[in-house]
């Protein structure tokens, strides 16, 4: 087992009706003026925003609002939020939404707490030295941003999607009421479940040894999400299934499933981020579309790990070589994606990739030839191109 630090400082308030505690949770932080940040309207239609407003009023917290965050959240709205927070002297940003809203809130928080252009952090030109406190009322189980240290923003200038991570942006509290996720469209529920699984799978496919505890947590987490995702496809209003998936989303990306490992591979995520930036696809669906292509490309570098995954997670009976068992696990995972109506190729998302677009994706994903991705096998620009090509469908 490798040395590790596990830091998960977010206070989680989980269960039915917990959104009514939001005002009190803000007050506990010693904050008086909040920016309520939200997306394209689901929280208005469901009445959640109104309930949050009431809870803030009752706790004597003043607030201003900024909606309009879209999936693959845009830098231009982040700039607008920074100006608004400065003008209104906001001291906490309350993200009411999913990964996109939370990530936008974190970026605004960096922009207010640090001088200069906030995009510098996402370009890795400098490091943030603080962030305005972030609070979350979660509406979709997916990205895990409610407990993670990261934030992913899309710059419309060049359509570059870039991430930045630091502990400063970890949410002070996260309110999670599974009931709120009942209004999710089926596609978003499925896409979210894929993302949750992938946050653990990216960590699971690593080059470390001897992580019995972490492997056990990870394998069980993935199986639990698979089981409950299938229930939700039939019964979207099943509270227990919503609750299992929601808690798994946070545990999958708060660092727990990476303890004692080298951190994992993350190539599928990096490959998807460019698809999200260029084609605006739902993040989890985009990963489902490239994962099989990535897995087949790297399996021979760590066949025994793929075999373990196939047996312990996918229920494959080991037969023949590790390569053969591992391949069966990949096929079983793609079968599961299909059962959720998730894509297993880029064409399945309605995108007919042209040759020059595959080259452009590989250019951008390799940061114009300046970086490699992945740890199972280090992938350069040419490898990325081939994985996109094999994923094209
Ligand atoms: O904008 P509204 O109207 O709210 O609609 C949203 C949006 O269209 C809708 N939705 C959310 N909650 C709902 C709902 N509709 C009905 N009822 C509800 N209760 O769902 C759509 C997707 O929302 P979004 O926030 O984009 O989803 P998700 O949580 O999957 O976030 C995706 C973003 O997070 C990034 C992704 O790259 C992507 O940009 N990620 C962030 C990470 C992090 N910060 O740690 C890690 C992830 O790997 C990921 O990269
Ligand atoms: Zn993800």
């Amino acid at each position: 087992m490798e040395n590790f630090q596990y830091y998960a400082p977010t206070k989680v308030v989980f269960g039915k009706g917990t959104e009514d505690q939001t005002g009190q949770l803000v007050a506990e932080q010693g904050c008086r003026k909040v920016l309520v940040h939200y997306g394209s309207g689901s929280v208005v239609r469901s009445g959640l925003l109104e309930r949050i407003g009431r809870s803030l009023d009752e706790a004597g917290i003043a607030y201003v609002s900024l909606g309009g965050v879209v999936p693959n959240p845009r830098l231009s709205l982040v700039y607008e939020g920074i100006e608004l927070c400065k003008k209104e002297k906001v001291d906490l940003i309350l993200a009411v939404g999913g990964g996109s809203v939370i990530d936008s809130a974190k970026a605004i928080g960096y922009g207010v707490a640090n001088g200069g252009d906030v995009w510098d952090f996402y370009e890795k030109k400098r490091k943030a030295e603080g962030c305005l406190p972030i609070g979350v009322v979660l509406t979709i189980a997916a990205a895990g941003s409610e407990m993670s240290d990261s934030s992913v923003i899309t710059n419309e200038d060049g359509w570059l999607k870039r991430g930045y991570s630091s502990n400063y942006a970890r949410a002070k509290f996260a309110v999670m009421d599974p009931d709120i996720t009942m209004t999710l469209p089926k596609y978003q529920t499925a896409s979210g479940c894929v993302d949750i699984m992938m946050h653990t799978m990216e960590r699971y496919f690593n080059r470390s040894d001897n992580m019995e505890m972490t492997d056990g947590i990870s394998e069980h987490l993935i199986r639990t999400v698979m089981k409950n995702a299938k229930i939700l496809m039939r019964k979207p209003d099943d509270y227990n299934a919503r609750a299992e998936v929601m808690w798994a989303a946070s545990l999958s990306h708060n660092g727990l499933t990476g303890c004692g490992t080298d951190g994992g591979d993350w190539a599928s995520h990096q490959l998807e981020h460019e698809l999200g930036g260029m084609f605006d696809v739902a993040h989890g669906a985009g990963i489902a579309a490239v994962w099989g292509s990535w897995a087949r490309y790297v399996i021979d570098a760590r066949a025994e790990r793929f075999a373990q995954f196939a047996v312990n997670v996918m229920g494959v009976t080991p037969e023949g070589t590790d390569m053969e068992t591992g391949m069966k696990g990949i096929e079983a995972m793609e079968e599961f994606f299909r059962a959720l109506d998730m894509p297993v190729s880029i064409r399945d998302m309605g995108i007919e990739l042209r040759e020059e677009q595959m080259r452009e994706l590989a250019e951008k994903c390799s940061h114009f030839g300046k970086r490699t991705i992945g740890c199972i096998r280090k992938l350069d620009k040419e490898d990325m191109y081939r994985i996109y090509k094999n994923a094209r469908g």
Side-chain angles (χ1 to χ4, degrees):
M1 195 183 288
E2 320 247 353
N3 293 359
F4 66 90
Q5 286 189 13
Y6 177 54
Y7 182 63
T10 304
K11 175 172 180 173
V12 173
V13 182
F14 194 100
K16 282 180 193 281
T18 44
E19 59 274 20
D20 295 341
Q21 297 174 38
T22 307
Q24 192 190 318
L25 289 162
V26 173
E28 266 178 26
Q29 295 298 322
C31 296
R32 310 301 312 161
K33 178 106 186 236
V34 165
L35 173 73
V36 178
H37 200 32
Y38 61 97
S40 306
S42 75
V43 298
V44 179
R45 290 190 295 278
S46 68
L48 176 64
L49 208 59
E50 207 185 314
R51 293 210 298 285
I52 298 294
R54 227 169 15 240
S55 175
L56 293 172
D57 287 341
E58 278 165 20
I61 307 288
Y63 61 92
V64 287
S65 304
L66 180 65
V69 179
V70 291
N72 301 308
R74 310 289 198 258
L75 182 62
S76 55
L77 192 71
V78 169
Y79 288 143
E80 208 182 301
I82 294 168
E83 288 317 308
L84 184 61
C85 285
K86 285 182 177 164
K87 185 168 138 249
E88 296 287 341
K89 302 200 170 28
V90 158
D91 54 15
L92 182 142
I93 307 175
L94 183 66
V96 184
S100 297
V101 173
I102 304 167
D103 287 3
S104 182
K106 289 174 175 175
I108 294 170
Y110 286 133
V112 176
N114 300 271
D117 187 352
V118 70
W119 187 247
D120 288 351
F121 304 128
Y122 294 83
E123 288 266 88
K124 315 285 183 298
K125 284 186 183 155
R126 61 194 175 104
K127 287 192 172 160
E129 285 165 11
C131 183
L132 219 56
I134 307 293
V136 172
V137 179
L138 190 64
T139 66
I140 170 173
S145 186
E146 65 279 5
M147 286 189 86
S148 82
D149 63 351
S150 63
S151 148
V152 191
I153 297 295
T154 296
N155 187 342
E156 298 98 314
D157 184 8
W159 295 103
L160 295 170
K161 188 170 171 180
R162 295 283 179 263
Y164 181 66
S165 301
S166 94
N167 280 328
Y168 293 121
R170 291 207 195 245
K172 301 290 178 204
F173 63 84
V175 172
M176 300 184 212
D177 178 352
D179 269 337
I180 292 175
T181 65
M182 302 262 187
T183 51
L184 276 169
K186 202 171 168 189
Y187 190 79
Q188 289 297 340
T189 298
S191 175
C193 288
V194 173
D195 195 23
I196 298 166
M197 290 160 59
M198 284 298 159
H199 292 156
T200 290
M201 285 160 66
E202 296 275 27
R203 291 173 167 95
Y204 187 89
F205 289 105
N206 57 48
R207 297 206 70 88
S208 309
D209 293 314
N210 195 27
M211 307 147 301
E212 214 175 302
M213 176 61 78
T214 296
D215 278 358
I217 293 171
S218 301
E219 289 162 359
H220 188 71
L221 188 150
I222 301 165
R223 286 196 309 262
T224 303
V225 176
M226 289 174 71
K227 177 181 155 197
N228 287 287
K230 281 194 195 146
I231 294 173
L232 290 176
M233 292 302 102
R234 294 192 314 273
K235 285 174 64 191
D237 58 352
D238 186 310
Y239 180 85
N240 284 329
R242 289 281 178 199
E244 296 291 351
V245 165
M246 197 171 207
W247 186 219
S250 303
L251 293 183
S252 196
H253 204 31
N254 75 356
L256 180 67
T257 59
C259 291
T261 78
D262 59 14
D265 191 86
W266 294 100
S268 302
H269 260 75
Q270 300 306 325
L271 291 161
E272 188 288 327
H273 281 171
E274 301 313 325
L275 286 172
M278 268 173 72
F279 300 102
D280 217 11
V281 300
H283 171 66
I287 303 186
V290 295
W291 184 80
S293 170
W294 165 82
R296 289 186 180 87
Y297 198 82
V298 303
I299 182 173
D300 60 337
R302 195 107 209 256
E304 74 286 5
R305 193 77 178 149
F306 278 87
Q308 182 182 330
F309 179 80
V311 174
N312 291 358
V313 178
M314 303 310 297
V316 169
T317 308
E319 225 179 308
T321 62
D322 282 346
M323 272 293 276
E324 284 163 337
T325 304
M327 278 294 185
K328 283 195 187 133
I330 297 170
E331 281 156 24
M333 183 51 82
E334 287 183 327
E335 208 44 54
F336 170 76
F337 291 157
R338 285 193 197 95
L340 296 194
D341 279 336
M342 282 285 103
V344 294
S345 73
I346 294 169
R347 176 167 289 147
D348 284 350
M349 295 191 290
I351 300 165
E352 297 292 332
L353 271 188
R354 296 192 304 274
E355 178 64 25
E356 70 272 17
Q357 288 174 319
M358 290 186 285
R359 290 281 172 204
E360 184 179 347
L361 284 165
E363 275 293 340
K364 286 179 167 173
C365 191
S366 67
H367 292 181
F368 306 96
K370 288 203 213 82
R371 72 159 181 175
T372 57
I373 59 170
C375 85
I376 290 275
R377 168 175 293 158
K378 281 205 187 317
L379 305 169
D380 63 15
K381 189 165 76 179
E382 196 56 30
D383 297 314
M384 296 173 202
Y385 164 76
R386 290 200 194 109
I387 293 173
Y388 283 126
K389 196 171 175 112
N390 294 341
R392 180 169 57 169

